[in-house]
Every structure is written in C-alpha cells, then in structure tokens.
Amino acid sequence: MKKVHQSIKDYISETIRTIPDFPKEGIQFKDITTLLQDKRGLELTSYMLAQPYRNKSIDFVVGLESRGFLFGTNLAQNLNAGFVPVRKPGKLPADTLSEVYALEYGEDSVEIHKDAIFKGAKVIIHDDLIATGGTAAAATKLIKRLGGEIVGYSFIIELSFLKGRDQLDPSASIESIIVE
Ligand code: AMP
C-alpha cells in the first residue's frame, strides 16, 4: 500500500502546476486548478485526503476560504461529516465569531458562524495548502472558542520550510499529501 500511495502522491504532485512570481515576486504559487480539471487527479486527491480520517467519527470538516472549499465538501461527504466554511470578514450572513491573525505585512481576520459547531464536536480543518500556518491557527482558535475538538488538519500541500505546523494544535494530527 505504501508503494501505491507513493505513486498516487507522485501523480498528484505532477498534476499541480507551479507558477513562479505569482501573485508577487518570489512566491512559487501552487495552482490546484490543473489537479481539479484532471478526473484522475480529482479522484485520487479525494481518496488521499479522506484516508487518514476514515472511521474517526468526524462531525465537521471546516474548509478555509477559498481554496479550502474546493475539496472541503467532498472530504466532508467522504467522512460522513458536515461542512463548515471559515470565511474572510463580512461574508457570512448570520452571527459570527472573528479571529485576527498576523500577515507578513499587516493583519487579516477570519470568521465562522456562531452556531456552526456544537460543543464537543470532532473537527478536521482543511485547506489546499499550509504556508506559515496563520490561517489554520486562526481557524483553530475559532473552533476552540465554540467548544469543538480539533482531531486533525488536512492539506494537499505543506510548504515545510515555512514551519506552519508549529502554529497548529500539537495534540491534533497533521496530514499533508505532499510535503515540500
Ligand atoms: P498561511 O496562512 O500562510 O498558511 O497561508 C495559507 C493560505 O494561503 C492558503 O489558503 C493557501 O491557499 C494560500 N497560499 C499561501 N502560499 C501559497 C502558495 N505558495 N501557493 C498557493 N497558495 C498559497
């Protein structure tokens, strides 16, 4: 199975396109649209994201705006869980909680609906990519404020040189299909 999983990872990795200097100089942008448009890539990524969390009685997958929505609902369905969006400020229509986090220059914030998660719910946080970990760390705080338990994190790509995993809940599992 290990060998099979390695060749699946290679396929997924080769199907993601890297765009140099987007959106600004020095950033190697990982473009998952080429993965989404490839039916085999779509199926294999869905399978690999769900694999570590099957039979773990997950209540919710929380997807981070906006590329965390693309596989997030699919992952929720594969885990027999609900899907909850964490969004940029001002997008969610009902009562929200908000968390501010630091960017390289300045700050940003994310929001969740107050009634999205029940106390004691088992939650997975999903995004396409973890870079500095700021977004996933802010989402972690939101879920904990609502009384949710972070069982794990789920990413397609982890940029390990940015050490984003150091920002995450140390008691949760961190699963990335591709680590660079
Ligand atoms: P961070 O909060 O630094 O972990 O950034 C994570 C968010 O930024 C994710 O939603 C990613 O989609 C996006 N992101 C950061 N760096 C990249 C990159 N090199 N390629 C594609 N998306 C990126």
Side-chain angles (χ1 to χ4, degrees), residues 81-149:
F83 175 80
V84 172
V86 158
R87 299 210 63 181
K88 307 246 164 80
K91 303 275 188 185
L92 290 170
D95 287 348
T96 57
L97 288 184
S98 175
E99 271 294 331
V100 176
Y101 62 100
L103 294 176
E104 197 179 350
Y105 302 103
E107 55 185 34
D108 211 342
S109 63
V110 283
E111 295 184 345
I112 195 167
H113 272 147
K114 278 185 180 166
D115 61 359
I117 282 168
F118 58 83
K119 276 203 176 65
K122 295 171 89 172
V123 176
I124 301 294
I125 294 179
H126 165 75
D127 204 354
D128 65 331
L129 181 145
I130 177 167
T132 65
T135 321
T140 300
K141 287 182 187 157
L142 288 175
I143 292 157
K144 290 197 167 176
R145 281 167 67 191
L146 292 175
E149 178 203 342

Side-chain angles (χ1 to χ4, degrees), residues 1-9 48:
M1 205 61 178
K2 238 180 161 179
K3 242 183 172 170
V4 175
H5 279 184
Q6 191 50 49
S7 69
I8 293 175
K9 287 178 187 196
M48 289 297 280

Side-chain angles (χ1 to χ4, degrees), residues 27-30 65 67 127-135 159:
I27 306 280
Q28 298 287 319
F29 189 86
K30 302 294 177 184
E65 181 163 0
R67 287 183 295 275
D127 204 354
D128 65 331
L129 181 145
I130 177 167
T132 65
T135 321
L159 301 181

